Amino acid sequence: MSSTTLAAGGSLSFTLPQELTVIVLCALTAFISHLALAVFNDGVRPFMLDFIQGRSTRNATTAVSFGLSAGFIFGLGAPMALSTGVLNPWLVFLPTDILGIVSPKKWLAPLLGAAWGAVVVFALGGANSAAHKLPVDFLTAMQQMSTPILFLFALFPALAITKQFGRARGGLAAVIELVLVVMTMKLWPNMFAGALAMAVGVLMLIGFAVARDVKQRREERAAASAMQAAADPPDADDPMASLFSSSALRLRKHLPLFMLLGAGVCLLAQMHIFGGGEATSFLIAKGDYSGAAQVDFYRVFGFIPLIATTALASGAYAIAGFTLVYPIGYLLPNPYLAVICGALVFAGEVLTLSSIGRLLGRLPSVRDCSEHLRSAITDTLGLAILFGSLMAANTMGGGLGILIVGGLYLLNEVMGRVVVRMAAAPAAVIVGGIVLNVLYWLDLFTPVKS
């Protein structure tokens, strides 16, 4: 299977049920965001408590949401969707965060969300078709990003192990992952090369974390005394525990709405027009749904502690929950099962949120490993997206393409990252592609022959 040729051909075309699903789901997520029950952007969630308790205005919260989301929407979400032909959460859910919060009326929020869903399914396809007809087809060139993203992403467990447990264990994990990638390519050429390596790497990370926590708890019990036990205040007297309880109760009161949300997100994933991440989008486009499920399943371990703690602290959940509905949806055979499973998964998540928070409090190393996982994912994808963007620049414009795209990326860095780093390179490819087309029309550039 080619690493760069996408089965979907980068075409954004949808059937009527798919269009309706996107539009209705965008309306629902905007409504839920308006009620401050859930947002997709993890950076916005901590600000929701002040909004919920009336210490922050709707306009101020909207400004925070827009500032933290705009770069991802236009710099990462739109370019990834246009190049892969697969929708992603930055394009679908981040705008509905903003539209829901900015809406002054409850009835207006779903209308604004539905309007954005219509833009996604109708206007984006037209822009995609028009871009493919340009002399310099920068969207096809952007498919070059798939190879570095898919292969470098497989290393994130080794990086996370190194960050948390040191160079020796990290080096061992990296060697094991490399051996497994080579073995997979040799023995199972039709399988996603990083699948087995990531599975073993994540298991090693969790194993190291659990072993450390078990050892630490044994040492604490051995050193514990009656005085120390008496000094530990009960959860009922802990103000943070009280806050967590009230937040969990607030979310449980809206359980039917969350079940509807889970059903919608899982249905969207089951339709195979949506990918939960950068690597996942390319795998979905290639038709490798099992590989996509594996990738998003491993990412779950990096986000459960973050989502659980921010939800309990703020009273606002995540639009995609713990993101377990992504891999489940990819693998389900029909939409009816997706609706049922999505609703049940979200119900389970919301009902067990307090228990998950308490469990994470007892396993500090497991909780910390999620932070290292997220950091490792950011590092690997940052390099992969930059390298892939330069490959795309070379494909569409040779040295001049590299100069423009690389130059835009560097200018963004020295200007204080006007566009967030993760989104800067794909955005530079699109801007560079437009510039190369203008130069072609001015008879100053001849497109590179493929």
Side-chain angles (χ1 to χ4, degrees):
M1 183 181 293
S2 171
S3 297
T4 57
T5 303
L6 304 185
S11 174
L12 275 165
S13 58
F14 307 100
T15 64
L16 180 59
Q18 291 169 344
E19 292 169 351
L20 291 175
T21 298
V22 174
I23 292 171
V24 172
L25 184 58
C26 284
L28 177 62
T29 53
F31 179 68
I32 289 175
S33 173
H34 174 83
L35 297 177
L37 288 173
V39 290
F40 180 79
N41 194 320
D42 295 320
V44 175
R45 201 170 304 115
F47 294 91
M48 298 304 290
L49 181 63
D50 285 343
F51 176 62
I52 292 168
Q53 297 183 347
R55 294 194 298 268
S56 177
T57 65
R58 187 170 292 278
N59 288 338
T61 309
T62 300
V64 170
S65 181
F66 182 83
L68 293 175
S69 302
F72 287 102
I73 297 169
F74 301 109
L76 187 61
M80 288 295 295
L82 289 169
S83 62
T84 63
V86 176
L87 301 179
N88 56 69
W90 306 287
L91 183 66
V92 177
F93 298 140
L94 286 181
T96 59
D97 279 2
I98 301 168
L99 293 172
I101 296 172
V102 75
S103 175
K105 300 293 183 180
K106 187 182 295 186
W107 59 265
L108 182 59
L111 294 180
L112 293 175
W116 176 253
V119 169
V120 169
V121 296
F122 296 122
L124 210 61
N128 179 277
S129 300
H132 280 302
K133 296 176 182 177
L134 293 172
V136 180
D137 185 357
F138 54 87
L139 294 186
T140 298
M142 287 184 72
Q143 294 178 6
Q144 294 291 328
M145 292 195 297
S146 66
T147 300
I149 286 176
L150 292 176
F151 278 86
L152 285 175
F153 186 76
L155 279 175
F156 80 86
L159 267 64
I161 291 172
T162 304
K163 289 172 180 284
Q164 187 170 7
F165 297 104
R167 289 176 290 183
R169 292 181 179 180
L172 175 63
V175 171
I176 291 174
E177 287 201 43
L178 177 60
V179 170
L180 290 173
V181 168
V182 174
M183 185 176 71
T184 302
M185 294 176 68
K186 181 68 175 178
L187 299 179
W188 307 288
N190 292 326
M191 179 180 173
F192 171 43
L196 185 58
M198 283 192 295
V200 172
V202 170
L203 287 174
M204 290 177 66
L205 174 64
I206 295 173
F208 290 147
V210 170
R212 174 179 287 182
D213 283 337
V214 169
K215 180 181 179 182
Q216 183 176 346
R217 288 183 68 83
R218 285 176 178 171
E219 292 174 350
E220 288 174 353
R221 281 198 297 266
S225 64
M227 183 180 299
Q228 289 173 322
D232 290 332
D235 288 345
D237 297 332
D238 185 352
M240 187 60 68
S242 176
L243 173 63
F244 280 13
S245 298
S246 62
S247 296
L249 179 61
R250 178 177 188 265
L251 297 177
R252 286 197 295 270
K253 285 181 179 179
H254 296 87
L255 186 61
L257 196 57
F258 281 114
M259 293 177 69
L260 184 61
L261 175 62
V265 176
C266 195
L267 176 61
L268 184 64
Q270 192 278 331
M271 289 179 165
H272 300 149
I273 59 170
F274 174 90
E278 301 87 346
T280 314
S281 293
F282 284 108
L283 289 168
I284 292 290
K286 291 168 62 175
D288 187 359
Y289 307 131
S290 61
Q294 274 195 294
V295 168
D296 274 353
F297 178 72
Y298 301 141
R299 288 173 70 114
V300 168
F301 295 103
F303 287 91
I304 284 181
L306 172 68
I307 293 170
T309 52
T310 55
L312 289 169
S314 68
Y317 198 43
I319 286 294
F322 292 148
T323 70
L324 276 170
V325 288
Y326 292 165
I328 291 172
Y330 303 149
L331 297 177
L332 290 175
N334 65 67
Y336 304 106
L337 277 175
V339 169
I340 295 170
C341 290
L344 292 176
V345 168
F346 257 54
E349 290 179 6
V350 172
L351 292 174
T352 60
L353 202 55
S354 293
S355 299
I356 292 172
R358 288 193 296 269
L359 178 64
L360 291 172
R362 300 189 189 101
L363 299 172
S365 295
V366 174
R367 185 181 65 242
D368 292 345
C369 80
S370 70
E371 181 179 344
H372 294 295
L373 272 174
R374 294 195 306 276
S375 175
I377 289 172
T378 300
D379 291 343
T380 53
L381 287 176
L383 175 61
I385 290 173
L386 175 58
F387 186 61
S389 297
L390 292 176
M391 290 172 62
N394 182 63
T395 298
M396 67 184 186
L400 180 60
I402 292 175
L403 172 64
I404 295 173
V405 172
L408 288 171
Y409 179 86
L410 292 173
L411 283 173
N412 183 68
E413 286 288 302
V414 299
M415 289 180 179
R417 296 178 192 159
V418 179
V419 180
V420 291
R421 178 178 283 175
M422 186 75 76
V429 174
I430 289 186
V431 174
I434 294 172
V435 170
L436 290 174
N437 277 292
V438 171
L439 292 176
Y440 170 81
W441 289 322
L442 295 174
D443 200 24
L444 296 174
F445 171 72
T446 301
V448 174
K449 293 182 179 180
S450 58

